[in-house]
């Protein structure tokens, strides 16, 4: 069983995230989407809501499981017996942060690998922060997020 963890804050989940999940499904037998509590980031959507939105957005994906987590990703990887982390890379600007995080995780657990997947060019500009900014001003995010969660976001 090839199992991978796709961690993130998912505040909220976007079409960029689901594009990465679809790509990961082609490589792995099971993808565990792990929603971080991430109190430092002061998320717009609370922890339970972010988990609920990820579950709704990935309902059709047979290989996907969704969990919430607090604490270190390496501890979650021990608990879930998954030594591969998936992260999305959109642009060079993502690279420095991702490199640092990948090395930090590898320094804590040497057999942990991080695999970076690129979303389709159509989704390369999408980020949760862009979605939040548009939502704050009551703008339309229908082209940026999975349709299954659109009503929740409007509410
Ligand atoms: O979607 P994000 O905000 O880029 O996701 C970041 C996340 C949640 C993957 C990262 O902050 C994380 O792994 N948090 C758990 C705490 C941890 O393990 N930190 C050490 C690695 S820097």
């Amino acid at each position: 069983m090839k199992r991978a963890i796709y961690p993130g804050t998912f505040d909220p989940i976007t079409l960029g995230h689901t594009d990465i999940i679809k790509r990961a499904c082609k490589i792995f037998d099971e993808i565990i989407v792990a929603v971080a509590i991430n109190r430092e980031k002061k998320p717009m959507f609370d922890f339970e809501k972010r988990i609920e939105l990820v579950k709704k957005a990935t309902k059709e994906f047979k290989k996907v499981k969704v969990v919430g987590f607090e604490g270190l990703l390496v501890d979650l990887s021990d608990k879930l017996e998954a030594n591969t982390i998936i992260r999305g890379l959109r642009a060079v600007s993502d690279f420095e942060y991702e490199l640092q995080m990948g090395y930090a995780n590898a320094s804590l657990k040497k057999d942990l690998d991080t695999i970076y997947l690129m979303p389709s060019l159509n989704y390369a500009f999408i980020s949760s922060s862009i979605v939040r900014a548009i939502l704050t001003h009551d703008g339309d995010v229908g082209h940026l997020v999975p349709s299954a969660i659109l009503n929740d976001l409007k509410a």
Side-chain angles (χ1 to χ4, degrees), residues 79-124:
K79 193 172 134 200
L80 299 176
E81 296 180 349
N83 281 335
T84 308
I85 304 296
I86 308 276
R87 291 288 289 171
L89 263 189
R90 289 162 301 188
V92 179
S93 51
D94 284 342
F95 187 74
E96 211 170 319
Y97 168 61
E98 292 301 334
L99 191 76
Q100 198 176 24
M101 198 158 63
Y103 279 133
N105 285 326
S107 77
L108 294 169
K109 186 176 176 182
K110 66 174 182 323
D111 56 350
L112 190 72
D113 290 309
T114 305
I115 289 186
Y116 302 92
L117 297 175
M118 285 167 61
S120 149
L121 187 58
N122 300 338
Y123 301 133

Side-chain angles (χ1 to χ4, degrees), residues 2 28 30 40 68 70-71 88 90 95 117-118 127 135 140:
K2 282 192 288 171
F28 294 93
E30 185 174 81
E40 318 83 72
E70 184 166 18
R90 289 162 301 188
F95 187 74
L117 297 175
M118 285 167 61
S127 66
L135 284 175
D140 178 21

Side-chain angles (χ1 to χ4, degrees), residues 7-10 36 38 41 69 71-74 87 97 101 104-105:
T9 309
F10 301 106
N38 228 339
K41 277 202 169 178
F69 79 105
L72 289 175
L73 189 55
V74 286
R87 291 288 289 171
Y97 168 61
M101 198 158 63
N105 285 326

Side-chain angles (χ1 to χ4, degrees), residues 27 32 37 44-45 53 59 62 68 73-74 88 117 125 140:
I27 307 171
I32 301 169
I37 194 158
M44 174 184 260
F45 296 93
L53 294 177
K59 212 173 154 196
K62 302 274 175 292
L73 189 55
V74 286
L117 297 175
F125 76 99
D140 178 21

